[in-house]
Amino acid sequence: MALRRDLSWLDDDYDVVVIGGGITGVQVARECAGHGVRVLLIEKDDFGQGTSSATTKYIHGGIRYLENYEFGVVRESLRERRLLTLAAPHLLSQRRFVMPAWRWSKPPTALIGAGVGLYSALGYDHNRGLPRSMRSRLPRWWSPARVAREVPWLDRSDLQGAFVYTDTLNVHPERLLLSLVKSAVADGARAMNHVEAVEFVTEPLPNRGGNAIAVTGVAVVDRVGGGHYTVRARTVVNAAGPWMDLVLEQLTRRPGGTSLGVSVRRSKGVHVLCRPLSRGSTMNTVFARAKSGKHVVISPWQDSLFIGPTDTPIDQSPDDVRALEEDVTDLLDTVNSTLNAETAPLTVDDVRDVTVGVRPLIVESGKDSYTTSRRHELYNHGPSGVHNLFSLGGGKWTTARALGEEAARTVLSSAALRGVSTRPFNSRRAGVIDGFGWAVDPQPFLDEAVDGHTNSVLDAATRRHVATLYGTEYPMLLQLAASDPTLGRPVSNDRRCADILAQAVYAVTDEAALELSDIVDRRLTIGTLGEVSRDELQRVADAVAGLLGWSADETDRRVDAEHARRRARRALWRTNG
Ligand SMILES: Cc1cc2nc3c(=O)[nH]c(=O)nc-3n(C[C@H](O)[C@H](O)[C@H](O)COP(=O)(O)OP(=O)(O)OC[C@H]3O[C@@H](n4cnc5c(N)ncnc54)[C@H](O)[C@@H]3O)c2cc1C
């Protein structure tokens, strides 16, 4: 399914315009398109560039939310975990979670056990309909000796054992989000990255009394070409995540405008990507609560450990949020406090990369960002005098489908869409467009990618890599490499990166990538694996320059700018070199 970007689309009329191409906006667009209405999704930067690409990478129930008695959120999340696994199993993987219990643990071991038991009970249907390779076992208890074998770096003093359960790794959230964008487009949505909503277009509604207005469209800017456009829309859905209140500011500031009663609690979440803690790394994810009381998830990912998150309330705009040295040392201190004496502590020199995202939490009085609910909220601004406008707040990657379903139900039954014909759509039973089929085991297809195609110029590991990332579209990558063997070359000499140049070309021709960072950070995997060198950026840029109309000078300028941007970000958390 090719993603195109056509500026003439901005001259058309839509039933629904969705602002924000994170997982929330994408799921809303998919749901609306599935129901057959005319929908345009606009994203000011690139699809998934915001919080949705800065997660802990789990599709999970959120076991720790049980401490806050959030049984509803946990049950909904566990249901959604199963539904997403049925829809896109090639991009998900089951992971064993090890939750250590020390004598000093808080909550105490018996309570952790009760929590794990309840978690498993709330996920009672976890294997229903799942393909064989995605089924998981019931929770169990490991003795200290077993923990020592399985997690050799963990502090064994006062260790009573560990609870073991399963959650689902979102192996490449950026690619899964893109796959959902493609699915929306396959159902008729139009999706445009690098288009920013700058103003609502409104008209007065004198017969509604007071200062009532109706939103009739959105003024947008094409951030690539700079053009200004006015998109007409019967309804607008503000799915700007942590930018949600900033998008609404224009309306709350209008003369006589009342507050829309919506605010977002922003919380910064940082992860670090580090070297493994022990040789012969296992695939166990450790979810530990350190003596300091801080939680940390230590997750094996692509030959590294992905560790986080932090949770720090912030006041800045999400555009200005950066990972700082104190965020990194905070995380490293927490992990190091869970290590045994034989394991070398992690230092900033061991950090390969850092990610930062902003949680868009619902404001709840009396709660901090850690205890604030991860539930989602749908706001209809009609009762505040702004008609045809809806905003979505809170939520999780895991539950975004449910939020999209609820939002579409509300928007499609709103007065503004009266008379618009719709068709039935059930996203609970819809696979992603590039998946191998709903509820179908991807394993035989991935095996076929490796065992068949032996005449391909790509080796077996690369074939598996592209089949996992691109699902049914992987033969296109094989064809590209066959048509021009230079495209079969690796993007990097680092053995942890399996990307090839054909992926960069495909990103531009079929996946709407326009900037270097769109390609390396969200179409390929290289940008998520650590520092990207100038040479690697150059290789990618040279492969796509002709397609994007970049001259040699322009290509070098872009490579320099992207390299400088990445170095500047790195310098904020790696101040000593
Ligand atoms: C550190 C961290 C770890 C997390 N881990 C997990 C996890 O493991 N599992 C899980 O389920 N959830 C997790 N979450 C929560 C989850 O990531 C978020 O709930 C989810 O990604 C929010 O998606 P969103 O689409 O609402 O926001 P975003 O992904 O931020 O998308 C909003 C988009 O709106 C765009 N936008 C803003 N203004 C405009 C405008 N004017 N015009 C056009 N576009 C605009 C932005 O560019 C952005 O792309 C985590 C969150 C954080 C911060």
Side-chain angles (χ1 to χ4, degrees), residues 408-487:
R409 199 182 309 124
T410 305
V411 172
L412 300 188
S413 60
S414 68
L417 291 195
R418 200 165 291 142
V420 173
S421 63
T422 59
R423 62 187 178 214
F425 175 65
N426 183 1
S427 57
R428 294 175 188 225
R429 295 182 72 87
V432 292
I433 189 73
D434 51 349
F436 296 103
W438 186 83
V440 170
D441 199 331
Q443 205 51 52
F445 297 92
L446 300 177
D447 292 343
E448 158 68 15
V450 175
D451 302 333
H453 306 285
T454 44
N455 57 351
S456 166
V457 291
L458 303 181
D459 63 24
T462 310
R463 295 201 299 273
R464 176 173 291 279
H465 176 68
V466 293
T468 307
L469 291 184
Y470 296 81
T472 52
E473 293 176 11
Y474 83 84
M476 311 276 276
L477 279 299
L478 303 193
Q479 270 170 32
L480 274 173
S483 66
D484 176 356
T486 62
L487 297 181

Coordinates of all heavy atoms in Angstrom, one line a residue, residues 408-487:
A408 N -14.7 7.7 16.9 CA -15.4 7.6 15.6 C -16.9 7.5 15.8 O -17.7 8.1 15.1 CB -14.9 6.5 14.8
R409 N -17.2 6.6 16.8 CA -18.7 6.4 17.1 C -19.3 7.8 17.5 O -20.4 8.1 17.0 CB -18.8 5.5 18.3 CG -20.2 4.8 18.4 CD -20.4 3.9 19.5 NE -19.3 2.9 19.7 CZ -18.5 2.7 20.7 NH1 -18.7 3.5 21.8 NH2 -17.6 1.8 20.8
T410 N -18.6 8.6 18.3 CA -19.2 9.9 18.7 C -19.2 10.8 17.5 O -20.2 11.5 17.3 CB -18.3 10.4 19.9 OG1 -18.3 9.5 20.9 CG2 -18.9 11.7 20.4
V411 N -18.1 10.9 16.8 CA -18.1 11.9 15.7 C -19.0 11.6 14.6 O -19.8 12.5 14.1 CB -16.6 12.0 15.2 CG1 -16.5 12.9 14.0 CG2 -15.7 12.5 16.3
L412 N -19.1 10.3 14.3 CA -20.0 10.0 13.1 C -21.5 10.1 13.5 O -22.3 10.2 12.6 CB -19.7 8.5 12.7 CG -18.2 8.3 12.2 CD1 -18.1 6.9 11.5 CD2 -17.8 9.3 11.2
S413 N -21.8 10.1 14.8 CA -23.2 10.2 15.1 C -23.5 11.7 15.5 O -24.6 12.0 16.0 CB -23.6 9.3 16.3 OG -22.8 9.6 17.4
S414 N -22.5 12.6 15.3 CA -22.7 14.0 15.7 C -23.6 14.7 14.7 O -23.7 14.2 13.5 CB -21.4 14.7 15.9 OG -20.8 14.9 14.6
A415 N -24.2 15.8 15.1 CA -25.2 16.5 14.2 C -24.5 16.9 12.9 O -25.1 16.9 11.9 CB -25.7 17.7 15.0
A416 N -23.2 17.3 13.0 CA -22.6 17.8 11.8 C -22.5 16.8 10.7 O -22.3 17.1 9.5 CB -21.2 18.3 12.2
L417 N -22.5 15.5 11.1 CA -22.4 14.4 10.0 C -23.7 13.8 9.7 O -23.7 12.7 9.1 CB -21.4 13.4 10.5 CG -19.9 13.9 10.5 CD1 -18.9 12.7 10.6 CD2 -19.5 14.7 9.3
R418 N -24.8 14.4 10.2 CA -26.1 13.9 9.9 C -26.3 13.8 8.3 O -25.9 14.7 7.6 CB -27.2 14.7 10.5 CG -28.5 14.0 10.6 CD -29.5 14.8 11.5 NE -29.1 14.8 12.9 CZ -29.2 15.8 13.7 NH1 -29.7 17.0 13.3 NH2 -28.8 15.8 15.0
G419 N -26.8 12.7 7.9 CA -27.0 12.5 6.4 C -25.8 11.9 5.7 O -25.9 11.5 4.5
V420 N -24.6 11.9 6.3 CA -23.5 11.3 5.7 C -23.5 9.8 5.8 O -23.7 9.2 6.9 CB -22.1 11.8 6.3 CG1 -20.9 11.1 5.8 CG2 -22.0 13.3 6.2
S421 N -23.4 9.1 4.6 CA -23.6 7.7 4.7 C -22.3 7.0 5.2 O -21.2 7.4 4.9 CB -24.1 7.1 3.4 OG -23.1 7.3 2.4
T422 N -22.5 5.9 6.0 CA -21.4 5.2 6.5 C -21.6 3.7 6.2 O -22.7 3.3 5.8 CB -21.3 5.4 8.1 OG1 -22.5 4.9 8.6 CG2 -21.1 6.8 8.5
R423 N -20.5 3.0 6.4 CA -20.6 1.5 6.2 C -20.1 0.8 7.5 O -19.4 1.4 8.3 CB -19.8 1.1 5.0 CG -18.3 1.4 5.2 CD -17.5 1.1 3.9 NE -16.1 1.5 4.2 CZ -15.3 2.0 3.3 NH1 -15.7 2.2 2.0 NH2 -14.0 2.2 3.6
P424 N -20.5 -0.4 7.7 CA -20.0 -1.1 8.9 C -18.5 -1.4 8.9 O -17.9 -1.6 7.8 CB -20.8 -2.4 8.9 CG -21.7 -2.4 7.8 CD -21.3 -1.3 6.9
F425 N -17.9 -1.3 10.0 CA -16.4 -1.6 10.1 C -16.1 -2.1 11.5 O -16.6 -1.5 12.5 CB -15.6 -0.3 9.8 CG -14.1 -0.5 10.0 CD1 -13.4 -1.3 9.2 CD2 -13.4 0.2 11.0 CE1 -12.0 -1.5 9.3 CE2 -12.0 0.1 11.1 CZ -11.3 -0.8 10.3
N426 N -15.4 -3.1 11.6 CA -15.1 -3.7 12.9 C -13.5 -3.8 13.1 O -12.9 -4.7 12.6 CB -15.7 -5.0 13.1 CG -15.5 -5.6 14.5 OD1 -14.8 -5.0 15.3 ND2 -16.0 -6.8 14.7
S427 N -12.9 -2.8 13.7 CA -11.5 -2.7 13.8 C -11.0 -3.8 14.8 O -9.8 -4.1 14.8 CB -11.0 -1.4 14.3 OG -11.6 -1.1 15.5
R428 N -11.9 -4.4 15.5 CA -11.5 -5.5 16.4 C -11.1 -6.8 15.6 O -10.4 -7.7 16.1 CB -12.6 -5.9 17.4 CG -12.9 -4.8 18.3 CD -14.1 -5.1 19.2 NE -14.5 -3.9 19.9 CZ -14.8 -3.8 21.2 NH1 -14.8 -4.9 21.9 NH2 -15.1 -2.7 21.8
R429 N -11.6 -6.8 14.4 CA -11.3 -8.0 13.6 C -10.6 -7.6 12.3 O -10.8 -8.3 11.3 CB -12.6 -8.8 13.3 CG -13.2 -9.4 14.6 CD -14.4 -10.2 14.3 NE -14.1 -11.5 13.6 CZ -13.8 -12.6 14.3 NH1 -13.8 -12.6 15.6 NH2 -13.6 -13.7 13.6
A430 N -9.9 -6.5 12.3 CA -9.3 -6.1 11.0 C -7.7 -6.2 11.2 O -7.2 -5.5 12.1 CB -9.7 -4.6 10.7
G431 N -7.1 -6.9 10.3 CA -5.7 -7.0 10.3 C -5.1 -5.7 9.7 O -5.8 -5.0 9.0
V432 N -3.8 -5.5 9.9 CA -3.2 -4.3 9.3 C -3.0 -4.7 7.8 O -2.8 -5.9 7.5 CB -1.8 -3.9 9.9 CG1 -2.1 -3.3 11.3 CG2 -0.9 -5.1 10.0
I433 N -3.0 -3.7 6.9 CA -3.0 -4.0 5.5 C -1.8 -4.8 5.0 O -1.8 -5.6 4.1 CB -3.2 -2.7 4.7 CG1 -3.5 -3.0 3.2 CG2 -2.1 -1.7 4.8 CD1 -4.8 -3.5 2.9
D434 N -0.6 -4.5 5.7 CA 0.6 -5.2 5.2 C 0.9 -6.4 6.1 O 2.0 -6.9 6.0 CB 1.8 -4.2 5.2 CG 2.0 -3.4 6.4 OD1 1.0 -3.5 7.3 OD2 3.0 -2.8 6.6
G435 N 0.0 -6.8 6.9 CA 0.2 -8.0 7.8 C -0.1 -9.2 7.0 O -0.6 -9.2 5.8
F436 N 0.2 -10.4 7.6 CA 0.0 -11.6 6.8 C -1.4 -12.2 7.0 O -1.7 -13.3 6.6 CB 1.0 -12.7 7.2 CG 2.4 -12.2 6.9 CD1 3.3 -11.7 7.9 CD2 2.9 -12.3 5.6 CE1 4.6 -11.3 7.5 CE2 4.2 -11.9 5.2 CZ 5.0 -11.4 6.2
G437 N -2.3 -11.4 7.6 CA -3.7 -11.8 7.8 C -4.1 -11.7 9.2 O -3.3 -11.9 10.1
W438 N -5.4 -11.4 9.5 CA -5.9 -11.3 10.8 C -5.8 -12.7 11.5 O -6.3 -13.7 10.9 CB -7.3 -10.7 10.8 CG -7.8 -10.4 12.2 CD1 -7.6 -9.3 12.9 CD2 -8.7 -11.3 12.9 NE1 -8.3 -9.4 14.1 CE2 -8.9 -10.6 14.2 CE3 -9.2 -12.5 12.8 CZ2 -9.7 -11.1 15.2 CZ3 -10.0 -13.1 13.8 CH2 -10.2 -12.4 15.0
A439 N -5.2 -12.7 12.7 CA -5.2 -13.9 13.5 C -4.4 -15.1 12.8 O -4.5 -16.2 13.1 CB -6.6 -14.4 13.9
V440 N -3.6 -14.7 11.8 CA -2.8 -15.7 11.1 C -1.4 -15.7 11.6 O -0.8 -14.6 11.9 CB -2.8 -15.3 9.6 CG1 -1.8 -16.2 8.8 CG2 -4.1 -15.5 9.0
D441 N -0.8 -16.9 11.8 CA 0.5 -17.0 12.4 C 1.5 -16.5 11.3 O 1.6 -17.0 10.2 CB 0.8 -18.5 12.7 CG 2.0 -18.6 13.6 OD1 2.9 -17.7 13.6 OD2 2.0 -19.6 14.4
P442 N 2.3 -15.5 11.7 CA 3.3 -14.9 10.7 C 4.5 -15.8 10.5 O 5.2 -15.7 9.5 CB 3.7 -13.6 11.3 CG 3.6 -13.8 12.8 CD 2.4 -14.7 13.0
Q443 N 4.7 -16.8 11.4 CA 5.9 -17.5 11.4 C 6.2 -18.2 10.0 O 7.3 -18.1 9.5 CB 5.9 -18.5 12.5 CG 7.3 -18.9 13.0 CD 8.3 -17.7 13.2 OE1 7.9 -16.8 14.0 NE2 9.4 -17.7 12.6
P444 N 5.2 -19.0 9.5 CA 5.5 -19.6 8.2 C 5.9 -18.6 7.1 O 6.7 -19.0 6.2 CB 4.1 -20.3 7.8 CG 3.4 -20.4 9.1 CD 3.9 -19.3 10.0
F445 N 5.3 -17.4 7.1 CA 5.6 -16.4 6.1 C 7.0 -15.9 6.3 O 7.8 -15.7 5.3 CB 4.6 -15.3 6.1 CG 3.2 -15.7 5.8 CD1 2.4 -16.1 6.9 CD2 2.8 -15.8 4.5 CE1 1.1 -16.5 6.6 CE2 1.5 -16.2 4.2 CZ 0.6 -16.5 5.3
L446 N 7.4 -15.7 7.6 CA 8.8 -15.2 7.8 C 9.8 -16.3 7.5 O 10.8 -16.1 6.9 CB 8.9 -14.8 9.3 CG 8.0 -13.7 9.7 CD1 8.1 -13.4 11.2 CD2 8.2 -12.4 8.9
D447 N 9.4 -17.6 7.7 CA 10.3 -18.7 7.4 C 10.4 -18.8 5.8 O 11.5 -19.0 5.3 CB 9.7 -20.0 7.9 CG 9.8 -20.1 9.4 OD1 10.5 -19.3 10.0 OD2 9.1 -20.9 10.0
E448 N 9.3 -18.6 5.2 CA 9.4 -18.6 3.7 C 10.3 -17.5 3.1 O 11.0 -17.7 2.2 CB 7.9 -18.5 3.2 CG 7.7 -18.0 1.7 CD 8.2 -18.9 0.7 OE1 8.4 -20.1 1.0 OE2 8.4 -18.5 -0.5
A449 N 10.3 -16.3 3.8 CA 11.1 -15.2 3.4 C 12.6 -15.7 3.5 O 13.4 -15.3 2.7 CB 10.9 -14.0 4.2
V450 N 12.9 -16.5 4.5 CA 14.3 -16.9 4.7 C 14.6 -18.1 3.8 O 15.6 -18.1 3.1 CB 14.5 -17.3 6.2 CG1 15.9 -17.8 6.4 CG2 14.2 -16.0 7.1
D451 N 13.7 -19.1 3.8 CA 14.0 -20.4 3.1 C 13.8 -20.3 1.6 O 14.4 -21.0 0.9 CB 13.2 -21.5 3.8 CG 13.5 -21.6 5.2 OD1 14.6 -21.2 5.6 OD2 12.7 -22.1 6.0
G452 N 12.7 -19.6 1.2 CA 12.5 -19.4 -0.2 C 13.4 -18.2 -0.6 O 14.3 -17.8 0.1
H453 N 13.2 -17.7 -1.8 CA 14.0 -16.6 -2.3 C 15.5 -16.7 -2.1 O 16.2 -15.8 -1.9 CB 13.6 -15.3 -1.5 CG 12.1 -15.0 -1.5 ND1 11.5 -14.5 -2.6 CD2 11.2 -15.1 -0.6 CE1 10.2 -14.4 -2.4 NE2 10.0 -14.7 -1.1
T454 N 16.0 -18.0 -2.2 CA 17.4 -18.2 -2.0 C 18.2 -17.6 -3.2 O 19.4 -17.4 -3.0 CB 17.7 -19.7 -1.8 OG1 17.0 -20.4 -2.8 CG2 17.4 -20.2 -0.5
N455 N 17.6 -17.3 -4.3 CA 18.3 -16.6 -5.4 C 18.4 -15.1 -5.2 O 18.9 -14.4 -6.1 CB 17.7 -17.0 -6.7 CG 16.3 -16.6 -6.8 OD1 15.7 -16.2 -5.8 ND2 15.7 -16.8 -8.0
S456 N 17.8 -14.6 -4.1 CA 17.8 -13.1 -3.9 C 19.3 -12.7 -3.6 O 20.1 -13.4 -3.1 CB 16.9 -12.8 -2.7 OG 17.2 -11.5 -2.3
V457 N 19.5 -11.4 -4.0 CA 20.9 -10.9 -3.7 C 21.0 -10.6 -2.2 O 22.1 -10.4 -1.7 CB 21.2 -9.6 -4.5 CG1 21.3 -9.8 -5.9 CG2 20.1 -8.5 -4.2
L458 N 19.9 -10.7 -1.5 CA 19.9 -10.4 0.0 C 20.2 -11.7 0.7 O 19.6 -12.7 0.4 CB 18.6 -9.8 0.4 CG 18.2 -8.5 -0.3 CD1 16.9 -7.9 0.2 CD2 19.3 -7.4 -0.2
D459 N 20.9 -11.6 1.8 CA 21.2 -12.8 2.6 C 20.0 -13.1 3.5 O 19.0 -12.3 3.6 CB 22.5 -12.7 3.4 CG 22.4 -11.6 4.4 OD1 21.3 -11.2 4.8 OD2 23.5 -11.1 4.9
A460 N 20.0 -14.3 4.1 CA 18.8 -14.8 4.8 C 18.4 -13.8 6.0 O 17.2 -13.5 6.2 CB 19.1 -16.2 5.4
A461 N 19.4 -13.3 6.7 CA 19.1 -12.4 7.8 C 18.5 -11.2 7.3 O 17.5 -10.7 8.0 CB 20.4 -12.1 8.6
T462 N 18.9 -10.6 6.2 CA 18.3 -9.4 5.7 C 16.9 -9.7 5.2 O 16.0 -8.9 5.4 CB 19.2 -8.8 4.5 OG1 20.5 -8.8 5.0 CG2 18.7 -7.5 4.1
R463 N 16.7 -10.9 4.6 CA 15.4 -11.2 4.1 C 14.4 -11.3 5.3 O 13.3 -10.8 5.3 CB 15.4 -12.5 3.3 CG 16.2 -12.4 2.1 CD 15.8 -13.5 1.1 NE 16.0 -14.9 1.5 CZ 17.2 -15.5 1.4 NH1 18.2 -15.0 0.8 NH2 17.3 -16.8 1.8
R464 N 14.9 -11.9 6.4 CA 14.0 -12.0 7.6 C 13.7 -10.6 8.1 O 12.6 -10.2 8.5 CB 14.7 -12.8 8.7 CG 13.9 -12.8 10.0 CD 14.4 -13.8 11.0 NE 14.2 -15.1 10.7 CZ 13.1 -15.8 10.8 NH1 12.1 -15.3 11.4 NH2 13.0 -17.1 10.4
H465 N 14.7 -9.7 8.1 CA 14.6 -8.3 8.6 C 13.5 -7.6 7.8 O 12.6 -7.0 8.4 CB 16.0 -7.6 8.5 CG 16.0 -6.2 8.8 ND1 15.8 -5.7 10.1 CD2 16.2 -5.1 8.1 CE1 15.9 -4.4 10.2 NE2 16.1 -4.0 8.9
V466 N 13.6 -7.7 6.5 CA 12.6 -6.9 5.7 C 11.2 -7.6 5.8 O 10.2 -6.8 5.8 CB 13.0 -6.6 4.3 CG1 14.2 -5.7 4.2 CG2 13.3 -7.9 3.5
A467 N 11.2 -8.9 5.9 CA 9.9 -9.5 6.0 C 9.2 -9.1 7.3 O 8.0 -8.9 7.3 CB 10.0 -11.0 5.9
T468 N 10.0 -9.1 8.4 CA 9.4 -8.7 9.7 C 8.9 -7.2 9.6 O 7.8 -6.9 10.1 CB 10.4 -8.8 10.8 OG1 11.0 -10.1 10.7 CG2 9.8 -8.6 12.2
L469 N 9.7 -6.4 9.1 CA 9.3 -4.9 9.1 C 8.2 -4.6 8.1 O 7.4 -3.7 8.3 CB 10.5 -4.1 8.7 CG 11.7 -4.0 9.7 CD1 12.7 -3.0 9.2 CD2 11.2 -3.6 11.1
Y470 N 8.2 -5.3 6.9 CA 7.3 -4.8 5.8 C 6.2 -5.8 5.6 O 5.3 -5.5 4.7 CB 8.1 -4.6 4.5 CG 9.1 -3.5 4.7 CD1 10.4 -3.7 5.3 CD2 8.8 -2.2 4.2 CE1 11.3 -2.7 5.4 CE2 9.7 -1.2 4.3 CZ 11.0 -1.4 5.0 OH 11.9 -0.4 5.1
G471 N 6.1 -6.9 6.3 CA 5.0 -7.8 6.1 C 4.9 -8.2 4.7 O 5.9 -8.5 4.0
T472 N 3.6 -8.2 4.2 CA 3.4 -8.6 2.8 C 4.1 -7.8 1.7 O 4.2 -8.2 0.6 CB 1.9 -8.6 2.5 OG1 1.4 -7.3 2.8 CG2 1.1 -9.6 3.3
E473 N 4.6 -6.6 2.1 CA 5.3 -5.8 1.1 C 6.8 -6.2 0.9 O 7.5 -5.5 0.1 CB 5.2 -4.3 1.6 CG 3.7 -3.8 1.5 CD 3.5 -2.4 2.0 OE1 4.5 -1.7 2.2 OE2 2.3 -2.0 2.2
Y474 N 7.3 -7.1 1.7 CA 8.7 -7.4 1.6 C 9.2 -7.8 0.2 O 10.3 -7.4 -0.1 CB 9.2 -8.4 2.7 CG 9.0 -9.9 2.4 CD1 10.0 -10.5 1.6 CD2 7.9 -10.6 2.8 CE1 9.8 -11.9 1.3 CE2 7.7 -11.9 2.5 CZ 8.7 -12.6 1.7 OH 8.6 -13.9 1.4
P475 N 8.4 -8.5 -0.6 CA 8.9 -8.8 -2.0 C 9.3 -7.5 -2.7 O 10.2 -7.6 -3.6 CB 7.7 -9.5 -2.6 CG 7.0 -10.1 -1.5 CD 7.1 -9.1 -0.4
M476 N 8.7 -6.4 -2.4 CA 9.0 -5.1 -3.1 C 10.5 -4.8 -2.8 O 11.2 -4.3 -3.7 CB 8.1 -4.0 -2.7 CG 6.6 -4.3 -2.7 SD 5.9 -4.0 -4.3 CE 5.6 -2.3 -4.2
L477 N 10.9 -5.0 -1.6 CA 12.3 -4.7 -1.2 C 13.2 -5.7 -1.9 O 14.3 -5.3 -2.4 CB 12.4 -4.9 0.3 CG 12.0 -3.7 1.2 CD1 12.7 -2.4 0.9 CD2 10.5 -3.4 1.1
L478 N 12.8 -6.9 -2.0 CA 13.6 -7.9 -2.7 C 13.8 -7.5 -4.2 O 14.9 -7.6 -4.8 CB 13.1 -9.3 -2.7 CG 12.8 -9.9 -1.3 CD1 12.5 -11.4 -1.4 CD2 14.0 -9.7 -0.3
Q479 N 12.6 -7.0 -4.8 CA 12.7 -6.6 -6.2 C 13.6 -5.4 -6.4 O 14.4 -5.3 -7.4 CB 11.3 -6.2 -6.6 CG 10.5 -7.3 -7.2 CD 9.0 -6.9 -7.4 OE1 8.7 -5.7 -7.7 NE2 8.1 -7.8 -7.2
L480 N 13.5 -4.5 -5.5 CA 14.4 -3.3 -5.6 C 15.8 -3.7 -5.6 O 16.6 -3.2 -6.4 CB 14.1 -2.3 -4.4 CG 13.0 -1.3 -4.6 CD1 12.7 -0.6 -3.3 CD2 13.3 -0.3 -5.7
A481 N 16.2 -4.6 -4.7 CA 17.6 -5.0 -4.6 C 18.0 -5.8 -5.8 O 19.1 -5.7 -6.2 CB 17.7 -5.8 -3.3
A482 N 17.0 -6.5 -6.4 CA 17.3 -7.3 -7.6 C 17.5 -6.4 -8.8 O 18.4 -6.6 -9.6 CB 16.2 -8.3 -7.9
S483 N 16.7 -5.3 -8.8 CA 16.8 -4.4 -10.0 C 18.1 -3.6 -10.0 O 18.6 -3.2 -11.0 CB 15.6 -3.5 -10.1 OG 15.6 -2.7 -8.9
D484 N 18.6 -3.3 -8.8 CA 19.8 -2.5 -8.6 C 20.6 -3.0 -7.4 O 20.3 -2.6 -6.3 CB 19.4 -1.0 -8.4 CG 20.6 -0.1 -8.2 OD1 21.7 -0.7 -8.1 OD2 20.4 1.1 -8.1
P485 N 21.6 -3.8 -7.7 CA 22.3 -4.5 -6.5 C 22.9 -3.5 -5.5 O 23.1 -3.9 -4.4 CB 23.3 -5.3 -7.2 CG 22.8 -5.6 -8.6 CD 22.0 -4.4 -9.0
T486 N 23.1 -2.3 -6.0 CA 23.7 -1.3 -5.0 C 22.7 -1.1 -3.9 O 23.0 -0.7 -2.7 CB 24.1 0.1 -5.6 OG1 22.9 0.6 -6.1 CG2 25.1 -0.1 -6.7
L487 N 21.4 -1.3 -4.2 CA 20.3 -1.0 -3.2 C 20.3 -2.2 -2.1 O 19.6 -2.1 -1.1 CB 19.0 -0.9 -3.8 CG 18.8 0.4 -4.7 CD1 17.4 0.5 -5.3 CD2 19.2 1.6 -4.0

